Amino acid sequence: MTPRAGMLIAAGALVAGTVTVLPAAPAGAGEPAPRPLPPLAWTGCATKAYPKLQCATLKVPLNHDDPAGRSITLALTRVPHTASTFQGPLLVNPGGPGGSGRAMAGYVAASLPPKVAAEYDVIGFDPRGVGKSEPALDCEPGHFAPVRADSVPTGAEAERAAVDRARSFAEACGKKYADVLPYIDTVSTARDLDAIRAALGAPQINYLGYSYGTYLGAVYARLHPDRVRRMALDSVVNPHGVWYEDNISQDYAFDTRHKDFMAWVARQDAVYKLGTDPAAVEAAWYRMRDALRAAPAGGKVGPGELEDTFLPGGYYNGYWPRLANAFSAYVNDADPAPLKEAYERYGEADAAADNGYSVYTSVQCRDAAWPRDWNVWRKDSWDVHAKAPFSTWNNAWYNAPCAFWPVESLTPPDVTNDQLPPVLILQATDDAATPYEGGVALHRLVRGSSLVVEQGGGNHGVTLGGNDCLDDHLATYLATGKVPRAEGDAEVDAVCEALPEPEPEPLTATGKKAQGEKAADGRTSGEKAPEKRAGRAGIPLAEPVGVALHGLLGHVR
């Protein structure tokens, strides 16, 4: 989807490619002998927010099937345990693919109940290709520089130009990283997880993954079920749709979530003065989109950038007040300044976003087969756009390099698993980035898992974001290994009510936050925000983790 909002988004395969075979039992005999790993050298890298944070690097094989060959470097972080009871490492991943996870160790350690966090070494990491890991991919710097052409093709010539742009990006990746791209994929990253485990000297890992991180966790668990101690998966990628079909599901879900936002704006007409009829408010939004085609706001925000700006509202409704203010200022006051500032805050790509998008495409295009005939994309996109116009074409172009990817695609592994200890799955019913069906699907595939549902929740990444019910389930699981169990044949094991809708918080014409508005990382106004992250996932992330799932970003994906 968009550089700041789509990396957390996951999408699905239509065609078979090279087969990826994962063992149904613990890996061992027949695998290449692992390269001996020196102990990790942790050094202090504290921040004001996370004073106990430590950093280290780890060399791993570029190709795990050739352990004596070329190495790459992973960047790790740690908040060490402080309790006498030690439950081992807790590896955390914010999603993407392409999301940086180094800051997430500090966030998770600070957000869990202190007694629980004290019993774990919380381990963050930048996956291969991402952030401070080396090499860090950046196929085509400035790919999302404004103002882009309208994402919805206005004719055959405009469509050809957009296709050429996607092809150019894929070719740039192939020329720049020909030796690396065959090994930027989920299975290779899962094998990196096991290298981290070995370097930590741990017989098993505990794992907390969000968005795409749920798929990474499921793949790791399939590879090494005996090495999983506890695993919590929040906002689940549907493994049946990796990746093309999952993207289509997202198109519908984000359009529905955008309509939810428009309905909220209508209920707040006393503040935003955009009308009380949700359909009329939505029509005004599309008129704004049309106007920006001819005159981009602040010279930066055209129709595509507008979609990039409002897409984060589909990840986290805490952004709605600021977005509504920008919408209202443009429509009612002919003032484009708040819209430009909202774009710069939520939608604009930077160097980290360029890196995140390069990894996003590299993983998703390699992981699974995509249609290579552009006619398939065109037909599907117009069919979906007719019913869900909010971001369908934006999402199509975000993923379009996969139609021209220079490396052959793999076949997604079967993540069915009956060899794990209880796995905790947490899912909001109205999540747009990873729709509810994904949580149900994985629950059915992983025997003995427990599904906890946030009823009526539309945010992405639902734990450690203020819902005490969900957070209690997560904390209990990490502390004791216990999961809730439904009675009888009920599929859902526990239900938590969603948090209340946000209250309107009018902003000034300069875009200054109203007192107490949460930033994307969960800090209130006046506090320093963390470094920008790569890309969408997405959607990105770790703001109240769900707040940021688009920004640890990205994706969700």
Side-chain angles (χ1 to χ4, degrees):
M1 310 233 12
T2 71
R4 290 292 306 279
M7 283 195 39
L8 295 174
I9 292 180
L14 293 183
V15 204
T18 304
V19 175
T20 301
V21 179
L22 296 189
E31 284 193 351
R35 176 183 297 173
L37 296 172
L40 294 170
W42 295 100
T43 59
C45 57
T47 66
K48 183 177 180 180
Y50 309 129
K52 297 178 181 178
L53 200 65
Q54 301 173 346
C55 292
T57 58
L58 173 66
K59 289 188 178 298
V60 299
L62 173 64
N63 177 3
H64 282 279
D65 290 331
D66 181 17
R70 177 181 171 184
S71 294
I72 59 174
T73 301
L74 305 180
L76 314 179
T77 55
R78 176 179 74 168
V79 176
H81 74 284
T82 56
S84 56
T85 299
F86 179 46
Q87 300 212 50
L90 173 61
L91 276 65
V92 296
N93 180 270
S100 169
R102 288 179 303 115
M104 196 175 175
Y107 179 85
V108 170
S111 300
L112 287 170
K115 184 177 179 180
V116 176
E119 295 181 350
Y120 287 95
D121 284 351
V122 184
I123 307 294
F125 62 98
D126 279 354
R128 54 176 53 206
V130 176
K132 295 296 183 181
S133 292
E134 297 176 353
L137 277 54
D138 190 349
C139 297
E140 194 171 67
H143 182 72
F144 289 100
V147 175
R148 308 192 306 275
D150 191 339
S151 59
V152 180
T154 54
E157 184 176 349
E159 183 179 341
R160 279 194 298 272
V163 169
D164 289 344
R165 179 173 177 270
R167 182 186 290 109
S168 174
F169 183 88
E171 290 174 350
C173 289
K175 290 176 182 177
K176 202 168 183 179
Y177 301 110
D179 56 340
V180 174
L181 291 187
Y183 309 105
I184 306 295
D185 61 88
T186 298
V187 172
S188 295
T189 303
R191 297 177 78 174
D192 290 344
L193 285 182
D194 203 56
I196 295 172
R197 177 203 59 77
L200 293 168
Q204 295 179 309
I205 65 167
N206 306 280
Y207 181 82
L208 171 61
Y210 291 84
S211 194
Y212 165 77
T214 66
Y215 183 63
L216 175 61
V219 171
Y220 178 83
R222 176 69 178 189
L223 278 168
H224 300 295
D226 59 322
R227 298 174 191 172
V228 175
R229 181 174 179 269
R230 289 176 192 159
M231 180 169 284
L233 305 175
D234 184 329
S235 302
V236 177
V237 167
N238 190 335
H240 297 311
V242 174
W243 289 115
Y244 186 81
E245 291 171 349
D246 277 352
N247 265 319
I248 291 176
S249 296
Q250 285 180 333
D251 294 338
Y252 289 110
F254 271 104
D255 191 82
T256 297
R257 194 63 180 149
H258 186 63
K259 286 179 168 60
D260 291 342
F261 174 32
M262 297 295 99
W264 178 84
V265 173
R267 291 194 294 275
Q268 310 300 335
D269 180 60
V271 176
Y272 300 116
K273 304 186 186 309
L274 288 163
T276 59
D277 177 9
V281 173
E282 185 178 19
W285 191 90
Y286 281 102
R287 287 195 299 273
M288 174 174 66
R289 186 189 187 285
D290 290 342
L292 293 171
R293 186 183 301 112
K300 295 180 77 171
V301 186
E305 289 75 25
L306 182 75
E307 292 161 348
D308 297 351
T309 303
F310 278 74
L311 188 68
Y315 286 88
Y316 175 59
N317 62 12
Y319 297 146
W320 288 1
R322 190 184 192 94
L323 293 172
N325 176 268
F327 179 18
S328 174
Y330 184 89
V331 171
N332 293 322
D333 304 324
D335 181 3
L339 193 60
K340 175 175 175 284
E341 291 167 11
Y343 166 69
E344 291 169 346
R345 179 174 181 83
Y346 298 126
E348 188 170 28
D350 58 8
D354 288 341
N355 166 240
Y357 179 63
S358 297
V359 177
Y360 172 90
T361 48
S362 297
V363 170
Q364 294 215 347
C365 300
R366 174 65 167 155
D367 262 4
W370 295 70
R372 291 286 181 160
D373 181 353
W374 181 252
N375 290 323
V376 175
W377 294 69
R378 178 191 295 113
K379 181 182 185 304
D380 288 344
S381 295
W382 280 121
D383 286 350
V384 177
H385 174 84
K387 301 173 184 176
F390 168 58
S391 61
T392 294
W393 274 105
N394 191 309
N395 194 24
W397 297 123
Y398 194 84
N399 291 281
C402 292
F404 312 103
W405 202 246
V407 180
E408 185 178 8
S409 297
L410 304 169
T411 294
D414 178 5
V415 297
T416 302
N417 211 317
D418 61 2
Q419 301 183 51
L420 295 173
V423 170
L424 183 65
I425 296 173
L426 306 111
Q427 182 70 44
T429 57
D430 300 334
D431 183 357
T434 53
Y436 178 74
E437 293 76 14
V440 174
L442 191 65
H443 179 43
R444 292 172 179 171
L445 292 173
V446 178
R447 192 176 73 179
S449 62
S450 177
L451 176 60
V452 177
V453 169
E454 185 184 42
Q455 185 65 42
N459 291 338
H460 182 61
V462 292
T463 57
L464 306 184
N467 188 316
D468 290 342
C469 174
L470 293 165
D471 291 350
D472 286 348
H473 282 296
L474 176 62
T476 297
Y477 175 65
L478 292 177
T480 68
K482 295 180 180 179
V483 297
R485 292 297 185 195
E487 295 183 3
D489 297 329
E491 187 154 50
V492 174
D493 294 284
V495 175
C496 295
E497 293 303 314
L499 295 174
E501 289 184 335
E503 294 293 328
E505 295 175 353
L507 308 182
T508 68
T510 62
K512 183 178 179 182
K513 283 180 292 188
Q515 184 64 33
E517 181 198 350
K518 278 192 174 181
D521 59 344
R523 295 170 172 81
T524 53
S525 54
E527 295 184 87
K528 184 179 179 181
E531 64 185 79
K532 283 188 178 180
R533 310 222 161 69
R536 285 186 164 206
I539 174 229
L541 246 233
E543 320 187 258
V545 174
V547 175
L549 270 166
H550 93 274
L552 266 179
L553 268 185
H555 127 66
V556 185
R557 214 156 214 309

